Amino acid sequence: MKVRVLGILSLLVVIIVVTVSSVILTSASRELTQELQINRVAALNRFAQLASDAAEDNDTTQLQREMDRYSELYGEGILIRLQGRIIHSGGLSEDHPDVGNALNRASLNLSDTTLNPVRAFGTGGDTISRSFGTASQVLGEVVMEVNLDAARQKLRERWIAVVLAAVALGALLLLAAARITAWVLRPVHRLSRAVHELETTGKTGQLPEAGPPELRELSRSFTAMAGTVTDSMESQRRLIADTSHQLRNPVGALRLRIDLLQLELKSEPEKAAAAGVVAELERVEEMLDGVLKLATAEHRAFEGAARADQAEHQRHAVIDPFPILQGEVERAAPAARNAGSQLSLEGPAPGNQIACDPDELAHMVGELLTNAIKYAPGAHITVATLQTQGGTAVVISDDGPGLPAEQLAASTSRFWRAPQHSKIPGNGLGMTIVERLAQANRGRLVLEPHKPHGLTARLEFAKPEEDMHA
C-alpha cells in the first residue's frame, strides 16, 4: 500500500516540478528574447538614423566607421542599402537568404523587428530589418544580424540552475511525501496487524493513538471493539470449560446413585434399563471430557498463534518423535488386537526431529490411532515419520474404508460425524482437538485418501531451525 501511495505522490510531484520548471524556463526565454530585442532594435534605429543623415550629406564615411565598430564589438553583421549602394560590415552580404527577404520586406516599408524566441539548444542567428526615409519616400533599408549565442548561453545557465533547483525541490517533496505517507499509513499497518492478531489469537493489544484524527478515532474504536470481542471469546471459552467441569460432579453423583439403584434391581428388564442409562451417562461423560480437551486445545492454539505473531515466545523443545510414537503404538496395541487390526511402526529415520510439546504430540498420535482402530476395524495401520520439503511429518495411515473426498473437509468440524459411522460410539471432537493442538505447536493436520483405499493423517511440522527463526 505504501508503494502504491508513494507511486501516485511521486507522479504528482514529477508533474508539479516539471510544470513549474517549464513555466520558469519559458519565462526566462521570453525575458532574454525581449531584452535582446530591445537592445538590437535600438541599435537598428540608430543605424537607420545614421543612414538617413548620410543620404542627406551624401557621405557614408562616418556610417561605415560606426558599422565596423559595432560589428567588431558585438560580432554581428550590418547591411544597409542606400540609394542603390550596398554598405555592409561583419561579413553580412545580400546573398544570404534571410538578408534578401529582409531587404525585400523593408523596400515595401515593412519593418521586421521581432526576434524568434531564444532556445537553449538552438543554432544559428536571426535578422531584423527596417526601412528609413521620408513619409512619402523610402531612401533605403537596414538589415542587422543578431547573434543569439550569448543569450543561449545565459539561458543554458538558467536551465542548469532550474534543473538543480527542480531536483532539490523534487527530492524535498518526495521526502515529505514519504514522511507523510508513513505517518498516515503507520496506524493503518498497526490496525492491519491488530486485525490479523485478533483473527488468529482472539485478542490484541491496545493500539497507540497516532496519525491523522480520523485514524486516531478509528484506532480507539478498534481497541474498544477488540477488547469487547476478546472478553466475549474468553468468556465463552471459560463458560464451556467451567460448565463441562461443573457438570462432572452431578454426572458423577448420578452414576453413583444408579450404581446403588442397580443393587436393588431384581428383574432382567429393570437391569437392562439401568444398563441403558449407564451407557448414556458414559456417553455424556465422554462428551464432557471431549469438550474439556477441546477447550484446552483451542486455548493452546490461540496462545501458540499469539506467540508466533509476536515472536516473543519460548521455543518448543526439539524432540525425536520416534520414542513417543513407539509408546503410543504399544498403548494402542491391545485395542487394535481386539478390533482385529494390525499396528506397525516403521523404524526411526535419522534426522527426523520436530519442535513440539511431547505430551501434546502423544495426545495427537493417540487420538489418531484411536480413530483408525475405531473406524477401520481389521485394517493394517502404519505409523511412520518422513521428511517433507518443509520439515518432518508424522504419518498414520490405514487401509480401511476411509472417507469420501467431500467428507474430508468437514471431518475436523466440532461434533461432526460421518453418517456411515453414526452407530459407532464417539463425540465428533477427536479430529478437532488434534487440529487445534497441531496449530498450537505451529504445525498442521492434513487428511487425505490412502491409495488404493483408506485414510492418511499427516501431522506436518516445520524444520526446527525454521521454527526457531520464524
Side-chain angles (χ1 to χ4, degrees):
M1 184 176 182
K2 182 178 180 180
V3 174
R4 292 193 296 272
V5 173
L6 276 180
I8 295 173
L9 292 178
S10 299
L11 179 61
L12 292 176
V13 166
V14 170
I15 293 174
I16 292 172
V17 170
V18 170
T19 302
V20 172
S21 301
S22 300
V23 171
I24 294 175
L25 292 174
T26 302
S27 176
S29 174
R30 188 181 301 112
E31 178 187 346
L32 289 172
T33 302
Q34 290 176 350
E35 179 182 350
L36 183 63
Q37 181 174 320
I38 291 171
N39 292 335
R40 294 306 184 264
V41 169
L44 180 69
N45 293 334
R46 176 172 175 270
F47 282 109
Q49 183 62 45
L50 290 175
S52 179
D53 295 342
E56 292 180 2
D57 299 339
N58 199 24
D59 183 8
T60 60
T61 304
Q62 181 64 25
L63 176 60
Q64 184 68 55
R65 187 181 301 113
E66 292 289 338
M67 291 169 58
D68 291 338
R69 186 180 303 129
Y70 180 88
S71 296
E72 182 181 355
L73 180 63
Y74 292 102
E76 298 173 349
I78 302 173
L79 186 144
I80 299 176
R81 186 164 62 186
L82 178 63
Q83 296 175 345
R85 297 172 54 195
I86 298 296
I87 305 171
H88 60 84
S89 64
L92 187 64
S93 67
E94 58 182 337
D95 296 333
H96 195 283
D98 292 341
V99 173
N101 294 333
L103 287 174
N104 292 333
R105 289 193 299 272
S107 65
L108 299 175
N109 203 19
L110 299 175
S111 299
D112 185 6
T113 58
T114 303
L115 292 176
N116 294 320
V118 177
R119 304 298 179 191
F121 303 100
T123 56
D126 204 350
T127 58
I128 57 176
S129 62
R130 59 158 294 182
S131 60
F132 60 90
T134 63
S136 58
Q137 183 182 9
V138 175
L139 298 179
E141 300 85 25
V142 180
V143 178
M144 179 179 291
E145 179 185 20
V146 180
N147 190 343
L148 302 177
D149 289 341
R152 290 193 184 103
Q153 180 62 30
K154 289 182 180 180
L155 185 58
R156 283 195 289 268
E157 292 174 358
R158 294 190 183 183
W159 265 72
I160 294 174
V162 170
V163 169
L164 292 178
V167 171
L169 177 61
L172 184 63
L173 290 177
L174 288 177
L175 179 61
R179 292 292 182 87
I180 293 173
T181 302
W183 177 66
V184 172
L185 294 184
R186 191 176 296 116
V188 176
H189 292 320
R190 288 198 192 105
L191 183 60
S192 177
R193 289 194 298 269
V195 169
H196 175 69
E197 184 182 357
L198 182 64
E199 178 186 7
T200 55
T201 69
K203 52 188 174 182
T204 185
Q206 182 174 357
L207 290 176
E209 296 181 9
E214 294 82 0
L215 290 179
R216 289 201 297 269
E217 180 62 29
L218 181 60
S219 297
R220 284 193 292 268
S221 300
F222 177 82
T223 299
M225 182 271 295
T228 303
V229 171
T230 300
D231 293 342
S232 176
M233 295 177 66
E234 186 64 26
S235 297
Q236 291 179 18
R237 267 199 298 270
R238 288 177 182 171
L239 176 63
I240 294 173
D242 293 345
T243 302
S244 301
H245 182 73
Q246 292 301 323
L247 282 176
R248 282 183 170 277
N249 292 332
V251 169
L254 185 58
R255 171 182 278 277
L256 179 60
R257 290 176 182 273
I258 292 176
D259 289 343
L260 294 175
L261 180 61
Q262 281 182 310
L263 297 177
E264 304 295 330
L265 299 177
K266 304 300 183 183
S267 66
E268 289 302 322
E270 291 175 342
K271 291 181 179 180
V277 173
V278 171
E280 291 299 323
L281 274 177
E282 289 177 348
R283 183 179 176 186
V284 171
E285 287 180 331
E286 183 183 1
M287 187 75 69
L288 292 175
D289 186 58
V291 170
L292 279 173
K293 289 180 180 178
L294 177 61
T296 302
E298 288 189 335
H299 184 68
R300 284 281 295 112
F302 282 129
E303 282 185 339
R307 291 195 301 263
D309 194 61
Q310 296 168 0
E312 296 175 352
H313 61 286
Q314 184 178 5
R315 309 299 180 184
H316 290 304
V318 178
I319 61 172
D320 180 0
F322 185 77
I324 296 174
L325 302 184
Q326 191 174 31
E328 291 305 311
V329 168
E330 292 175 356
R331 189 175 294 110
R337 284 194 298 270
N338 292 337
S341 300
Q342 294 181 349
L343 268 178
S344 62
L345 174 64
E346 295 185 0
N352 281 354
Q353 291 188 323
I354 60 175
C356 182
D357 183 275
D359 294 335
E360 292 177 354
L361 177 62
H363 192 163
M364 288 185 280
V365 174
E367 287 281 358
L368 293 175
L369 286 176
T370 299
N371 270 12
I373 294 169
K374 184 189 298 183
Y375 299 113
H380 182 214
I381 303 170
T382 303
V383 181
T385 58
L386 57 86
Q387 291 283 351
T388 64
Q389 186 175 4
T392 301
V394 175
V395 183
I396 294 94
S397 59
D398 64 72
D399 56 3
L403 289 174
E406 63 272 10
Q407 293 183 359
L408 283 177
S411 59
T412 56
S413 302
R414 294 186 186 94
F415 302 108
W416 182 89
R417 304 198 67 207
Q420 63 269 29
H421 299 152
S422 59
K423 295 182 179 180
I424 301 175
N427 55 30
L429 293 174
M431 287 297 187
T432 308
I433 293 171
V434 173
E435 184 182 52
R436 297 299 187 270
L437 288 178
Q439 292 173 357
N441 289 276
R442 304 183 68 191
R444 66 170 184 160
L445 170 65
V446 179
L447 299 175
E448 59 187 12
H450 177 69
K451 296 181 180 179
H453 55 81
L455 181 68
T456 296
R458 287 203 318 272
L459 293 169
E460 297 182 347
F461 300 93
K463 292 180 181 179
E465 58 268 24
E466 291 182 1
D467 182 75
M468 289 295 200
H469 299 91

